[in-house]
Amino acid sequence: MTGPSAPRLIGRDDELAALAAAFDAARHVLVEGPHGVGKSLVIGEICTLRGAAPVVVHGSVALSASALVGAHDPGIVLRGGHEVAFVPGPLVYAMRTGRVLYLDEANRVPADVINVLISAMSEAELVVPRYGRVLAKPGFQVVAAVNPLDGIGTGTLPAAFLDRLVRLTLDYQSAEDERAIVRTQVPDADDALLTRAIFAVRASRRHPDVRTGASVRGAIDLVSIAPFLVQLGRLDADLDAALLALSSKIALRSGIERTVESLIRELWTDAVINEHRATTGPRPDGAAGEPLLLSSVELEREGDGGAEEPAYNPAAAKPGRAAARTQASAGGTGSGSPGADPGGAHESDVTAETRQALASFVRSSRGRSRSGGARTDVAAAQDLTDVERLAAGIVVNRARGQLPTADRTGGRFTSVRYNFRSDDLDLDRTIAELIETPVLTPSHLWVHDRVPRRRGVVVMLDVSGSMRGGRAIESATAAASAALAAEQDELAVVAFGTSAEVLKRSEETMPVQELARRVLALRPHGLTDLSAGLGAGLRLLAGMQSLVKIAVVMTDGVQNQGADARVAAARYRQLNVLATTESQWRLGHCQALAAAGRGRCLSYERLDRLPAAISVLLSG
């Protein structure tokens, strides 16, 4: 193809060359590709090189043959006849001027309109009733574009139409090309934010819950919006920008019971962790084996040719943008651990986010309460400690009401007071009871029943940066549910993030509400050393006297620090996993962890179903 040179589109040299060859050969072209890959830009670039912009027709079911070809103006017909009254449509105009007719979303066009196009493409001429024959000048071509991801596809196009076209397929560009595209639109975009934005939009296209992922337009919108949210003082401006920019560009598959917003939060967490892993060196512990890592990271690596990705090194992690902004505004030096939080959140930001989440939880509970007891009025809470106390009470009350009776097998067969379960009456003990109490009540009856053995139970809770905000309430609910379900057992509770902390030892007597308050008093931050949490739980189980021992770890399956958690899981007699994720590929990591620990894995869809999941996992 001859003509003056022009700036090339980023990452589209091969496609431009192929389309130019088709134009030089005077072939009609079908351009196929998902939304946002630049089909219109590629076609427009070639037409610009030819010196004439295309005649654009947007396909829809409302497009008629007369709208495409043209029509007669009734008023002019009465004055001058049909020939002078004809108002040409885009097809006739393109044929007369020798230009490209660009039919966007051609698979939405009705069949009768496609038939008109077939005639013009085959014969290079068109007969218009009451007007005459229209001959196409050299340069007339039809270029049709379709989007195979819109649920319709090219299968709806007639075979006669497809037979007259050559086909060019466009796919998404590489991560480097998409990064360069965003740079052309937002030159001053923050590097860290741009990296996360590109990762998130690319991961959305490969996520198993997603039918249609976001294009590079999502990344452009995201990095454009974020600085203005920072100016407004939003605590997590980057995530808010992601929710604004991507929620309209991602469509979930049919039957997926989750919201687009929850998926975006998941993708953004993955993007933050990926940023830290990609900028650091070898793991300091030198542990062998492949750790449990994010599948979206693996998919991104596979999609870009399988380049090896360095493992995470916490000592070399860089601070996030949110932390840098907060330190700058406070005049601080940022001397704290720079890689402590994958979200880059400052401690004050996490505290404010926690207060907001707990206050909202307490307020929402007031409308549900119908009891005449003390009111949970968050307005009376003067500080965060009061809000934590109120929220802990609500967590315990709800867990108690939602916790089913656990089906505990085994144990010794003995005589116990009637418990509305066994009907095997112990006559001797019952008669002896009635001698002193002539009025019979259920509490005076004795029955033979199997009493479960005392168990040793350890619960390990993920309190890393991914459990900020409302997720902390889920952790407290899990701890409270376990304490209620294991009232007669030895119970220990561990919280882990970058390191592990024991919240309750088995020999320690602690009210359930105090345990819930301790969990809510934590400030989730840092990376996830799942192996450290499992190691602490194993040591606590070893110190318990009970013969039956059960462990439950609450996690989303993500590990970005420490040794391979599956090695630690294999040391358990039984390790059950409570999965906090709705993602199928993250759930796969949780299931692999449970399999290594010879346990089972359960997830919960809503907060009110969490106590039931804990009950099942503790039932053995």
Side-chain angles (χ1 to χ4, degrees):
M1 179 172 147
T2 60
S5 61
R8 313 299 279 179
L9 297 177
I10 296 174
R12 290 298 183 208
D13 289 347
D14 293 342
E15 291 85 351
L16 284 169
L19 190 58
F23 273 41
D24 285 345
R27 299 296 94 186
H28 304 292
V29 184
L30 175 69
V31 181
E32 184 175 359
H35 69 93
V37 298
K39 297 187 292 292
S40 299
L41 291 176
V42 169
I43 295 168
E45 176 80 358
I46 292 296
C47 292
T48 299
L49 293 176
R50 295 186 60 171
V55 179
V56 181
V57 177
H58 297 286
S60 72
V61 294
L63 181 65
S64 64
S66 60
L68 182 68
V69 174
H72 292 83
D73 188 312
I76 302 178
V77 167
L78 294 176
R79 294 194 301 269
H82 285 89
E83 291 187 4
V84 298
F86 182 73
V87 179
L91 175 58
V92 171
Y93 179 74
M95 294 176 70
R96 281 178 173 178
T97 57
R99 295 169 68 176
V100 171
L101 178 73
Y102 173 36
L103 182 60
D104 192 20
E105 297 193 78
N107 45 358
R108 298 183 183 275
V109 175
D112 60 327
V113 178
I114 294 294
N115 290 335
V116 173
L117 277 175
I118 292 174
S119 299
M121 294 161 62
S122 301
E123 308 298 335
E125 65 177 49
L126 186 66
V127 177
V128 181
R130 294 184 297 276
Y131 176 69
R133 192 172 65 161
V134 179
L135 297 177
K137 288 187 176 182
F140 167 72
Q141 288 173 267
V142 173
V143 179
V146 293
N147 180 0
L149 299 183
D150 60 2
I152 297 176
T154 59
T156 58
L157 291 172
F161 181 65
L162 293 174
D163 191 53
R164 289 164 172 80
L165 298 164
V166 297
R167 179 171 170 267
L168 174 66
T169 302
L170 300 185
D171 201 354
Y172 292 107
Q173 290 111 314
S174 66
E176 293 75 15
D177 287 341
E178 292 192 336
R179 185 183 181 93
I181 291 171
V182 177
R183 277 288 179 206
T184 64
Q185 302 297 315
V186 192
D188 57 348
D190 179 86
D191 284 336
L193 176 62
L194 178 54
T195 299
R196 298 177 190 180
I198 293 296
F199 181 93
V201 298
R202 293 178 67 81
S204 73
R205 303 169 199 157
R206 302 181 175 95
H207 198 287
D209 293 348
V210 174
R211 176 172 63 87
T212 304
S215 70
V216 70
R217 296 191 190 104
I220 294 172
D221 291 345
L222 196 161
V223 300
S224 299
I225 294 171
F228 295 97
L229 290 174
V230 173
Q231 294 176 11
L232 294 174
R234 298 296 288 266
L235 294 177
D236 203 344
D238 294 353
L239 175 58
D240 290 344
L243 292 170
L244 280 170
L246 303 182
S247 58
S248 64
K249 299 175 177 64
I250 296 176
L252 300 180
R253 295 186 184 277
S254 176
I256 297 297
E257 296 182 356
R258 68 181 305 183
T259 64
V260 172
E261 287 75 15
S262 70
L263 180 127
I264 293 172
R265 290 187 178 93
E266 175 186 306
L267 294 176
W268 195 251
T269 300
D270 296 350
V272 170
I273 295 173
N274 178 69
E275 178 193 356
H276 282 276
R277 291 179 63 241
T279 56
T280 54
R283 282 165 44 189
D285 52 20
E290 181 183 354
L292 297 176
L293 298 175
L294 295 175
S295 290
S296 61
V297 174
E298 296 162 1
L299 289 169
E300 178 75 12
R301 185 166 67 242
E302 291 173 3
D304 286 341
E308 176 137 7
E309 184 177 17
Y312 179 76
N313 176 6
K318 297 180 180 180
R321 294 174 68 249
R325 288 196 301 268
T326 307
Q327 291 167 2
S329 63
T333 61
S335 59
S337 177
D341 191 348
H346 193 272
E347 182 179 356
S348 61
D349 291 347
V350 177
T351 300
E353 186 176 354
T354 301
R355 176 191 290 275
Q356 182 179 3
L358 296 185
S360 176
F361 176 69
V362 172
R363 289 192 193 96
S364 66
S365 70
R366 294 194 309 171
R368 300 186 184 185
S369 177
R370 295 290 184 267
S371 65
R375 293 180 48 138
T376 56
D377 191 354
V378 72
Q382 299 300 316
D383 55 29
L384 185 54
T385 303
D386 292 332
V387 179
E388 291 168 356
R389 177 181 51 80
L390 293 172
I394 297 168
V395 163
V396 173
N397 289 336
R398 289 191 181 179
R400 183 176 283 111
Q402 295 161 355
L403 189 70
T405 301
D407 182 16
R408 292 175 56 176
T409 59
R412 58 189 178 88
F413 199 71
T414 186
S415 180
V416 296
R417 291 190 182 274
Y418 180 55
N419 54 14
F420 296 91
R421 184 172 62 185
S422 173
D423 57 0
D424 184 5
L425 190 66
D426 184 341
L427 287 175
D428 293 339
R429 297 200 65 174
T430 301
I431 292 173
E433 184 86 17
L434 293 177
I435 291 175
E436 299 180 3
T437 310
V439 180
L440 182 64
T441 65
S443 62
H444 298 122
L445 300 176
W446 286 80
V447 295
H448 297 288
D449 198 5
R450 191 172 295 279
V451 178
R453 297 186 183 94
R454 195 172 187 226
R455 305 169 302 177
V457 177
V458 62
V459 177
M460 294 153 284
L461 306 172
D462 182 354
V463 293
S464 61
S466 62
M467 298 298 289
R468 288 165 51 188
R471 287 287 193 181
I473 298 172
E474 298 178 23
S475 298
T477 301
S481 300
L484 292 170
E487 285 183 306
Q488 306 302 320
D489 300 314
E490 295 180 278
L491 173 68
V493 179
V494 175
F496 66 91
T498 305
S499 58
E501 175 186 356
V502 178
L503 299 182
K504 180 189 179 302
R505 298 185 179 275
S506 58
E507 64 272 15
E508 183 180 2
T509 301
M510 181 185 298
V512 180
Q513 184 167 339
E514 172 59 20
L515 175 60
R517 191 203 64 78
R518 286 193 183 185
V519 176
L520 293 175
L522 298 172
R523 297 296 170 259
H525 70 284
L527 299 162
T528 309
D529 191 343
L530 190 51
S531 181
L534 295 179
L538 200 62
R539 290 189 292 273
L540 290 170
L541 276 182
M544 296 181 185
Q545 301 300 316
S546 303
L547 296 178
V548 178
K549 298 179 180 180
I550 298 178
V552 176
V553 58
M554 184 178 186
T555 178
D556 61 0
V558 173
Q559 176 187 346
N560 41 53
Q561 179 172 288
D564 189 345
R566 290 171 293 190
V567 176
R571 298 169 61 191
Y572 279 81
R573 180 180 299 176
Q574 180 179 359
L575 175 65
N576 296 328
V577 179
L578 179 63
T580 64
T581 178
E582 297 172 324
S583 163
Q584 290 300 317
W585 44 268
R586 280 192 180 194
L587 191 59
H589 287 310
C590 294
Q591 291 167 344
L593 187 66
R598 293 169 291 280
R600 60 195 303 185
C601 175
L602 289 180
S603 60
Y604 53 95
E605 297 177 357
R606 303 191 305 268
L607 180 63
D608 58 358
R609 296 187 181 181
L610 194 157
I614 283 287
S615 177
V616 172
L617 293 177
L618 292 180
S619 64

